[in-house]
């Protein structure tokens, strides 16, 4: 099992990614660190506990992190995820467990020495940037760093050129790309836009595992409506679970290595500037993912979430494309 810390901003697709990571036999989730992004930090903490409670994993500590971006004003994505961050589902939690401490201090201290632990960052990179400012060796003391964020050739989802996580705190993303010191594996919109939870797949989940299927329908209904209204897409893009699936199986996505910087100003704030043609002649710092297999992803994802035999999902692959 690979030990991981999930740095996240739950969020509908974060909730799905967390549950996927908790239930995947390949992963040992040792902590959740919460950042402002899809929702304010305090609401993200609540939603993290809701997922842990649902999965019977309240033994995993949750750390509350940054409540504001480094420089710009915080703008959440509650128009996309609902005021409660879980699609206006009204899900309550029963536990009274409280955060274990400050996420930034935890990350800076935990990676003060070499650890056989990776970070999967599913939200804005504010926690990581601030921890890196406290501990410049953070990147060299972790195993892998996977970030759901950015875009190469795909258009943005909150501006013509920027993906939300990096647009939300471009200064933090710029610091991480410039200073982390270990390769960043960028799971951006070029691949995550391919991961669409369609009505057909949702109906399949309802047939295969009614309780889980109903939960998925409950938290994604708002997301479905948003995507139809704004993109005329019949379904919803679930970005974050792909980052977890790719972490487990890197052959799920293909891409190339390049130097990447993040713009912090003007109309292009949050844009990932990918030097694919080596104009700047700087050392590569990022693996940019550009291709994936959605059917294979959903086989992997739903095998775990639905607790279904992999052979069954493989036989039903024609329903998941």
């Amino acid at each position: 099992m690979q030990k991981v810390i999930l740095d996240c901003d739950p969020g509908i697709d974060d909730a799905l990614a967390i549950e996927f990571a908790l239930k995947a036999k390949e992963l040992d989730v040792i902590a959740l660190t919460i950042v402002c992004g899809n929702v304010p930090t305090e609401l993200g903490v609540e939603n993290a506990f809701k997922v842990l409670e649902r999965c019977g994993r309240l033994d995993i500590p949750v750390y509350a992190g940054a409540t504001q971006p480094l420089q710009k004003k915080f703008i959440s994505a509650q128009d996309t995820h609902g005021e409660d961050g879980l699609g206006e589902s009204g899900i309550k939690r029963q536990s009274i467990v409280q955060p274990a401490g400050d996420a930034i201090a935890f990350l800076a201290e935990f990676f003060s020495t070499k650890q056989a632990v990776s970070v999967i960052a599913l939200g804005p990179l504010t926690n990581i940037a601030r921890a890196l400012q406290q501990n410049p060796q953070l990147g060299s003391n972790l195993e892998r760093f996977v970030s759901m964020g950015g875009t190469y050739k795909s258009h943005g989802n909150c501006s013509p050129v920027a993906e939300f996580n990096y647009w939300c705190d471009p200064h933090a993303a710029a610091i991480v790309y410039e200073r982390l010191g270990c390769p960043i594996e960028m799971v951006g919109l070029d691949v995550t836009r391919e991961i669409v939870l369609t009505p057909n797949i949702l109906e399949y989940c309802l047939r295969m595992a009614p309780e889980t299927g109903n939960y998925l329908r409950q938290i994604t209904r708002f997301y479905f409506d948003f995507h139809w209204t704004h993109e005329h897409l019949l379904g919803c893009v679930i970005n974050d679970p792909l980052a977890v699936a790719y972490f487990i199986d890197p052959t799920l996505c293909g891409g190339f290595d390049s130097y990447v910087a993040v713009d912090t100003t003007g109309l292009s704030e949050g844009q990932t500037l990918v030097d694919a043609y080596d104009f700047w002649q700087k050392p590569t710092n990022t693996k940019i993912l550009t291709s994936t297999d959605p059917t294979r992803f959903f086989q992997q994802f739903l095998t775990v979430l639905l607790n279904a035999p992999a052979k069954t999902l493989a036989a039903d692959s024609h329903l998941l494309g």
Side-chain angles (χ1 to χ4, degrees):
M1 296 179 73
Q2 301 176 80
K3 294 182 181 294
V4 296
I5 294 169
L6 301 183
D7 187 68
C8 53
D9 57 337
I12 294 166
D13 56 334
D14 295 78
L16 297 176
I18 293 168
E19 181 164 347
F20 180 31
L22 294 176
K23 293 181 176 179
K25 66 181 186 302
E26 297 88 350
L27 300 182
D28 177 11
V29 180
I30 66 170
L32 303 180
T33 54
I34 310 302
V35 66
C36 59
N38 289 328
V39 296
T41 305
E42 59 273 16
L43 185 52
V45 168
E46 282 298 302
N47 289 342
F49 280 126
K50 289 174 186 177
V51 179
L52 293 178
E53 188 171 79
R54 169 179 166 77
C55 297
R57 292 303 311 273
L58 287 170
D59 57 299
I60 296 174
V62 175
Y63 294 85
T67 60
Q68 293 290 327
L70 293 187
Q71 296 187 34
K72 69 178 287 188
K73 180 182 178 181
F74 173 53
I75 300 174
S76 77
Q78 286 164 282
D79 61 331
T80 306
H81 294 263
E83 286 302 308
D84 66 351
L86 293 178
E88 309 289 5
S89 58
I91 295 172
K92 307 294 183 185
R93 75 167 170 125
Q94 305 302 315
S95 67
I96 57 172
V97 182
Q98 296 299 307
D102 177 74
I104 296 159
F106 164 72
L107 290 166
E109 172 62 26
F110 185 82
F111 289 110
S112 61
T113 58
K114 186 70 175 177
Q115 300 289 339
V117 178
S118 299
V119 171
I120 305 177
L122 303 176
L125 295 176
T126 318
N127 284 345
I128 308 302
R130 290 185 60 188
L132 190 59
Q133 289 172 331
Q134 293 184 19
N135 171 18
Q137 302 306 311
L138 184 149
S140 61
N141 285 333
L142 52 76
E143 286 278 296
R144 290 172 63 190
F145 186 83
V146 172
S147 171
M148 190 277 117
T151 183
Y152 172 43
K153 291 190 173 181
S154 177
H155 61 83
N157 61 1
C158 59
S159 85
V161 295
E163 177 275 330
F164 173 78
N165 285 339
Y166 294 179
W167 174 87
C168 183
D169 193 345
H171 300 90
I175 286 172
V176 172
Y177 273 80
E178 180 183 353
R179 304 182 194 174
L180 185 62
C182 74
I184 297 168
E185 299 169 60
M186 189 181 99
V187 186
L189 296 179
D190 298 270
V191 286
T192 64
R193 283 192 190 279
E194 301 296 314
I195 308 303
V196 180
L197 179 66
T198 64
N200 193 47
I201 295 173
L202 183 56
E203 182 63 28
Y204 179 81
C205 295
L206 286 160
R207 300 284 181 172
M208 289 290 293
E211 189 279 330
T212 300
N214 276 302
Y215 170 73
L216 291 175
R217 180 167 59 182
Q218 186 179 9
I219 69 170
T220 61
R221 180 72 266 173
F222 189 96
Y223 217 18
F224 269 62
D225 292 343
F226 176 88
H227 280 81
W228 178 255
T229 300
H230 292 273
E231 299 184 25
H232 222 57
L233 176 68
L234 196 57
C236 62
V237 177
I238 52 172
N239 302 279
D240 293 336
L242 180 61
V244 175
Y246 162 75
F247 181 89
I248 294 170
D249 179 7
T251 69
L252 183 61
C253 299
F256 65 98
D257 296 332
S258 178
Y259 176 79
V260 175
V262 180
D263 199 352
T264 60
T265 60
L267 294 175
S268 59
E269 67 173 357
Q271 180 179 9
T272 36
L273 304 172
V274 179
D275 189 15
Y277 300 99
D278 199 25
F279 284 104
W280 293 327
Q281 296 185 357
K282 292 187 176 184
T284 61
N285 61 354
T286 306
K287 182 178 182 65
I288 300 98
L289 302 182
T290 57
S291 63
T292 191
D293 184 339
T295 300
R296 188 172 151 204
F297 162 79
F298 275 110
Q299 288 176 324
Q300 180 182 345
F301 178 60
L302 295 180
T303 294
V304 173
L305 244 65
L306 305 181
N307 192 28
K311 289 183 179 179
T312 300
L313 272 293
D316 293 340
S317 62
H318 60 289
L319 301 174
L320 305 177

